[in-house]
Amino acid sequence: MTKKVRTYSDEFKAEAVKKIADNNGNISATAKQLGIAMQTLSNWHNKANQGKLIGTEQYDPDLMSALKEIKQLKRQLKVAEEEREIPKKGDRVLREKQPVKYAFIKDNRQIFSTTTMCRVLSVKPSSYYDWLSRDISEQQVHRNQCELLVKAAHSEMKERYGVDRLHAHLSKQGHNISLYMVRSIKEEHGIKCRRHKRFKVTTDSNHNKLVYDNVLDQRFDAKRPNEAWVSDITYIWTAEGWLYLAGVKDLYTKELVGYAINKRMTADLVCRALNMAIKNKRPTQGLIVHSDRGSQYCSHAYHKIIEQHKFTGSMSGKGNCYDNAPIESFWGVLKNELVYHQDYKTRFAAISDIIGYIELYYNQTRIQKGLGYRAPRQVWFDYYRQAA
């Protein structure tokens, strides 16, 4: 029987290396706490020191030198203070046997440095860590591993996943971790998602152009792909000026099936987004294509595409943002998870970032609770695999 080789993400490795510092640089003790081979952790530590491990890159040498000197001075001051205070607190312990000293060090490691206590109490640090590792239960090892997994996954998903989705993400990777454990670790370590901002509706429907009736009428629970699409336009700021993004979203898969980006908000923008969706998904006649009453969606060119393919046009009631809630929800996700955390210097940088988010992350890998913790593209594949 072939032994299964465990694999670790770069984020997990970085967290494991950081954990070594909590044990005053003792790689052996840290490896035992995490249930990892000491040589494996040592290799990660060496890579981190060389700046070759993602998440632990080296900083500017001059800055690092200055920070190191300041840190050393602070450490020397702290050691002097601890050497004065430890004998006061552990006077009786000085005359006790080693196990008693080990217990004292363990109970006071939140107050004093472990290294300093070992020196004052005449204890070898390696002996103390060996004693400590023998005292670690399998349950604690599991907890320690779960802490690193949660921190690594939180970093890997760009701080975008809450408790439920983070738990589903880790479970799908094969990790034995409970929802309660994920919630407990996030609360204990103050791990929070990126702060959301409110989405502002900016549609201008004050015109006398042709509009469709509200055929969709907020029935967002489609039974199959290409049954109903919703579309809209949003704004994105860059140092070079505004960018306008038109999108088309499938109500069943939640996938952004078509989009177009330009520095001008024209009828051609929404037409290109719709044509991209048609090319990608090849829908049949009768598809409901819903939008708001923006002037671009009331253009002759846009209506011509709908009529040409024998789709059913649908438009929101005047001033009612809830009629087009699914696509507006996507804009909120895009901006909260990406745009609001960037400072785009050029339109090109913004376009590249947004396309990457849509194609490589949102459609392909971002799991959603409403999809049974699957990504949109996976829902599409599952549907047609079952129908075959």
Side-chain angles (χ1 to χ4, degrees), residues 49 104 117 275:
N49 289 336
F104 174 85
M117 285 192 287
N275 280 328

Side-chain angles (χ1 to χ4, degrees), residues 67-225:
L67 291 174
K68 186 175 181 180
E69 184 176 351
I70 293 172
K71 187 176 181 179
Q72 186 175 1
L73 291 172
K74 287 182 177 180
R75 187 184 297 113
Q76 291 173 352
L77 178 61
K78 184 179 179 181
V79 168
E81 293 174 347
E82 288 181 341
E83 288 179 341
R84 185 178 67 249
E85 295 297 325
I86 290 172
K88 295 180 182 178
K89 189 175 179 66
D91 179 54
R92 295 180 181 178
V93 179
L94 290 169
R95 295 183 292 275
E96 297 291 343
K97 294 182 179 180
Q98 297 296 77
V100 178
K101 295 180 180 180
Y102 295 154
F104 174 85
I105 295 172
K106 179 181 178 182
D107 292 340
N108 291 276
R109 56 187 172 180
Q110 300 299 325
I111 303 174
F112 304 118
S113 161
T114 299
T115 303
T116 306
M117 285 192 287
C118 286
R119 183 171 62 255
V120 172
L121 298 177
S122 300
V123 169
K124 290 183 178 180
S126 58
S127 299
Y128 165 70
Y129 283 117
D130 285 340
W131 172 86
L132 186 65
S133 64
R134 290 196 298 271
D135 195 41
I136 298 175
S137 65
E138 290 185 8
Q139 183 179 5
Q140 185 59 49
V141 170
H142 177 64
R143 171 79 181 195
N144 292 341
Q145 289 183 341
C146 287
E147 285 183 3
L148 296 196
L149 286 170
V150 169
K151 290 179 180 179
H154 181 67
S155 175
E156 180 186 356
M157 304 318 295
K158 312 296 184 184
E159 303 176 3
R160 293 163 177 162
Y161 279 11
V163 171
D164 291 342
R165 284 201 294 154
L166 201 60
H167 171 251
H169 172 73
L170 289 170
S171 297
K172 285 193 173 185
Q173 290 183 329
H175 298 298
N176 178 25
I177 182 170
S178 67
L179 179 65
Y180 171 80
M181 179 76 81
V182 175
R183 180 180 290 108
S184 173
I185 290 171
K186 290 196 72 175
E187 290 176 353
E188 179 182 345
H189 295 277
I191 300 173
K192 298 179 181 179
C193 295
R194 291 180 171 186
R195 182 171 297 178
H196 286 198
K197 297 185 180 181
R198 293 182 62 86
F199 178 74
K200 183 178 180 180
V201 180
T202 53
T203 301
D204 178 16
S205 57
N206 294 320
H207 55 74
N208 296 317
K209 297 181 179 181
L210 178 65
V211 298
Y212 291 117
D213 292 333
N214 190 354
V215 177
L216 189 60
D217 196 24
Q218 296 189 21
R219 292 190 294 271
F220 302 137
D221 53 343
K223 301 296 187 294
R224 59 178 175 80

Side-chain angles (χ1 to χ4, degrees), residues 9-21:
S9 67
D10 290 326
E11 290 79 9
F12 182 92
K13 295 175 184 177
E15 292 296 337
V17 169
K18 293 174 186 176
K19 194 80 173 174
I20 296 173

Side-chain angles (χ1 to χ4, degrees), residues 213-366:
D213 292 333
N214 190 354
V215 177
L216 189 60
D217 196 24
Q218 296 189 21
R219 292 190 294 271
F220 302 137
D221 53 343
K223 301 296 187 294
R224 59 178 175 80
N226 296 338
E227 179 182 323
W229 292 348
V230 289
S231 52
D232 193 23
I233 306 172
T234 194
Y235 304 67
I236 295 150
W237 176 254
T238 76
E240 292 182 340
W242 289 105
L243 265 181
Y244 300 97
L245 168 62
V248 181
K249 181 179 179 181
D250 187 292
L251 285 182
Y252 181 81
T253 65
K254 308 296 188 290
E255 180 181 357
L256 201 73
V257 292
Y259 55 88
I261 313 174
N262 203 300
K263 63 181 180 181
R264 296 181 60 213
M265 187 171 60
T266 62
D268 178 66
L269 184 73
V270 298
C271 289
R272 286 195 292 114
L274 181 56
N275 280 328
M276 177 182 178
I278 294 170
K279 181 180 179 181
N280 286 341
K281 297 303 177 182
R282 302 185 181 281
T284 57
Q285 299 178 10
L287 163 71
I288 297 175
V289 182
H290 184 84
S291 69
D292 58 30
R293 296 188 175 201
S295 59
Q296 294 78 17
Y297 291 104
C298 296
S299 67
H300 175 72
Y302 184 79
H303 281 250
K304 184 177 179 180
I305 296 173
I306 292 179
E307 292 167 5
Q308 177 185 348
H309 293 275
K310 298 183 180 180
F311 297 154
T312 300
S314 175
M315 288 185 172
S316 303
K318 191 171 184 179
N320 191 344
C321 62
Y322 296 105
D323 285 344
N324 209 15
I327 188 68
E328 291 181 4
S329 173
F330 171 75
W331 296 147
V333 169
L334 171 70
K335 293 186 177 182
N336 289 321
E337 294 187 350
L338 179 72
V339 176
Y340 289 144
H341 304 278
Q342 306 297 326
D343 182 17
Y344 294 120
K345 303 302 181 185
T346 65
R347 288 191 175 98
F348 178 81
I351 291 172
S352 178
D353 213 21
I354 292 166
I355 292 176
Y357 176 89
I358 293 171
E359 295 288 359
L360 303 179
Y361 176 66
Y362 184 85
N363 284 345
Q364 292 282 359
T365 63
R366 186 185 186 275

